[in-house]
Amino acid sequence: MTKKTSKDSPKAGAKKTASRKDSKDSVPAGKPGVRASGEAHADAAHLRTTNNALVDHAYLTEQEFGVVAETLQRNLATTISLYLKFKKYHWDIRGRFFRDLHPAYDEFIDMIFPSIDEQAERLVALGGSPAAAPADLERYSVVRVPQETVRDARTQVADLVQDLSRVGKGYRDDSQTVEEANDMATTDMYNQYALTIDKIRWMLQAMMDDEQMN
């Protein structure tokens, strides 16, 4: 009787296959692309890091990148949501302020729209990957896009002023946060975005002083 060798054994073959797969999918601890745990690493590159062994965070440490990436992911989702909210109100507005707000909302969109791509590309440049599916926007954004129709001008403007106050403060806070994480370039970006958001907020707040809007 011929004795089966380990080469002919199905179990032995399966074991070798599993070993090769584990080696391929795993990333050595302590190297770029290491699998992150918890919610600290919010960007897509750290949600599933298989095949991300070549992720390079430039001059940032892994910990510093985690801090910066969290702010970029949140602000990216927030800006996209703010864009959608302006568009929603642009479509919904009715009444005597239609001719004022309908075009104004598109003007404000033009002011914030470039920052969407800038924030996403900044995250990529630092070795991250933006999460931008609808569920991701809902998860990370501090702005909520209404599902119901809102036609009243004052209701729209008051809601946007409240959102812009929160977004502007967020940029100022995040500017300090990323500065402490040694990312001065992102600090400069956030300062400019805060300036733009403050300007839009001022314009909308000024419209609420019109007695006819009460």
Side-chain angles (χ1 to χ4, degrees):
M1 179 182 291
T2 303
K3 184 178 180 182
K4 286 187 176 180
T5 65
S6 60
K7 181 178 179 180
D8 299 323
S9 170
K11 291 185 177 179
K15 184 175 182 180
K16 287 183 179 180
T17 301
S19 177
R20 286 196 298 270
K21 182 180 180 183
D22 292 342
S23 175
K24 180 181 178 182
D25 290 346
S26 61
V27 180
K31 292 187 177 182
V34 64
R35 186 175 298 280
S37 60
E39 298 299 323
H41 296 286
D43 71 300
H46 285 85
L47 294 177
R48 297 183 181 88
T49 56
T50 302
N51 301 324
N52 273 349
L54 297 180
V55 167
D56 180 4
H57 302 318
Y59 44 79
L60 300 180
T61 66
E62 183 72 22
Q63 182 177 2
E64 289 169 342
F65 170 76
V67 172
V68 175
E70 189 279 328
T71 68
L72 284 167
Q73 180 61 68
R74 173 168 34 78
N75 288 318
L76 171 62
T78 295
T79 308
I80 294 174
S81 296
L82 190 59
Y83 160 81
L84 292 172
K85 190 164 190 175
F86 272 124
K87 269 301 184 185
K88 169 69 172 164
Y89 284 168
H90 167 85
W91 298 321
D92 284 352
I93 187 66
R94 293 290 187 275
R96 70 182 71 180
F97 290 98
F98 174 83
R99 297 196 52 164
D100 295 310
L101 291 175
H102 185 73
Y105 289 153
D106 272 349
E107 291 175 10
F108 298 149
I109 284 173
D110 289 341
M111 294 170 68
I112 67 171
F113 189 79
S115 67
I116 294 176
D117 201 43
E118 290 167 359
Q119 290 170 109
E121 290 186 349
R122 180 61 182 162
L123 182 54
V124 174
L126 293 176
S129 177
D136 298 321
L137 300 183
E138 180 71 20
R139 177 182 179 187
Y140 296 119
S141 176
V142 302
V143 171
R144 294 291 173 260
V145 181
Q147 296 182 349
E148 70 279 3
T149 299
V150 181
R151 303 192 187 281
D152 179 68
R154 185 173 184 84
T155 302
Q156 287 188 0
V157 172
D159 187 28
L160 288 168
V161 167
Q162 187 176 41
D163 280 337
L164 292 167
S165 299
R166 185 164 54 252
V167 173
K169 183 179 186 304
Y171 274 131
R172 288 189 290 275
D173 292 343
D174 287 341
S175 174
Q176 295 178 353
T177 297
V178 298
E179 181 178 357
E180 292 172 0
N182 297 317
D183 187 2
M184 302 303 295
T186 305
T187 298
D188 291 341
M189 285 176 56
Y190 286 166
N191 288 337
Q192 288 301 312
Y193 297 155
L195 185 64
T196 298
I197 292 296
D198 288 348
K199 184 175 182 179
I200 298 172
R201 180 190 179 279
W202 159 60
M203 291 179 174
L204 288 173
Q205 182 71 59
M207 291 193 69
M208 293 180 66
D209 292 338
D210 192 322
E211 293 182 357
Q212 296 184 49
M213 192 173 280
N214 294 324

